[in-house]
């Protein structure tokens, strides 16, 4: 399967995850499972995405459900159906679906979609990365003292960065670094 075909499958998967979560509101959005750190909405999105990926003939490694799909698949998709689950559970518009296809040579292509805004970031091995169809350009900031830095969690040490953000979706934060919205 080629990268453009996989990205089309990923778009379908992102739409399915978003549609599956739309009916959840209030307490239903905040419901937890018995697994630490997992929301029920994670499993809802996972269940919506997996059939689409399996039909494409790929193996899947999901943060929520582990490995599934064909054992002999040439491509494995790494999936986080809701990256930023707490944000999603609280209607904070910074959460995503994250998918990356890996073959024998490594990462082939990836899609991260901010499910709250629809902003879509893609990458293809050897061809670059794009945000909503435009090539991404990282920040020109080179000094930590001038940088807006994002962390997942709390940094153990305060460095001399200009500003600190903890936005709650590592996939989106990495895309924001690639596109220059964040410096690091």
């Amino acid at each position: 399967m080629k990268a453009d075909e996989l990205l089309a499958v990923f778009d379908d998967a992102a739409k399915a995850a978003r549609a599956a979560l739309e009916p959840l509101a209030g307490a239903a959005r905040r419901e937890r499972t018995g697994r630490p750190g997992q929301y029920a909405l994670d499993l809802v999105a996972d269940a919506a995405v997996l059939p689409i990926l399996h039909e494409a003939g790929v193996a899947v490694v999901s943060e929520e459900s582990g490995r599934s799909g064909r054992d002999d698949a040439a491509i494995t998709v790494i999936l986080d159906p809701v990256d930023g689950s707490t944000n999603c559970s609280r209607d904070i518009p910074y959460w995503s679906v994250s998918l990356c296809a890996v073959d024998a040579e490594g990462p082939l292509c990836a899609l991260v979609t901010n499910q709250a805004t629809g902003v879509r970031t893609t990458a293809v091995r050897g061809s670059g990365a794009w945000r909503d169809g435009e090539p991404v350009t990282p920040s020109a900031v080179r000094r930590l003292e001038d940088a807006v830095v994002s962390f997942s969690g709390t940094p153990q040490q305060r460095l001399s960065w200009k500003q600190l953000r903890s936005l709650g979706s590592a996939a989106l934060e990495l895309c924001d670094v690639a596109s220059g919205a964040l410096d690091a």
Side-chain angles (χ1 to χ4, degrees), residues 42-68:
D42 292 316
L43 298 178
V44 169
D46 197 56
V49 170
L50 287 176
I52 293 166
L53 297 177
H54 292 155
E55 187 167 316
V58 299
V60 180
V61 176
S62 170
E63 179 180 359
E64 306 310 330
S65 58
R67 191 178 195 303
S68 63

Side-chain angles (χ1 to χ4, degrees), residues 30-48:
R30 293 185 182 192
E31 186 178 322
R32 297 288 200 138
T33 69
R35 185 173 137 196
Q38 187 179 59
Y39 288 88
L41 63 85
D42 292 316
L43 298 178
V44 169
D46 197 56

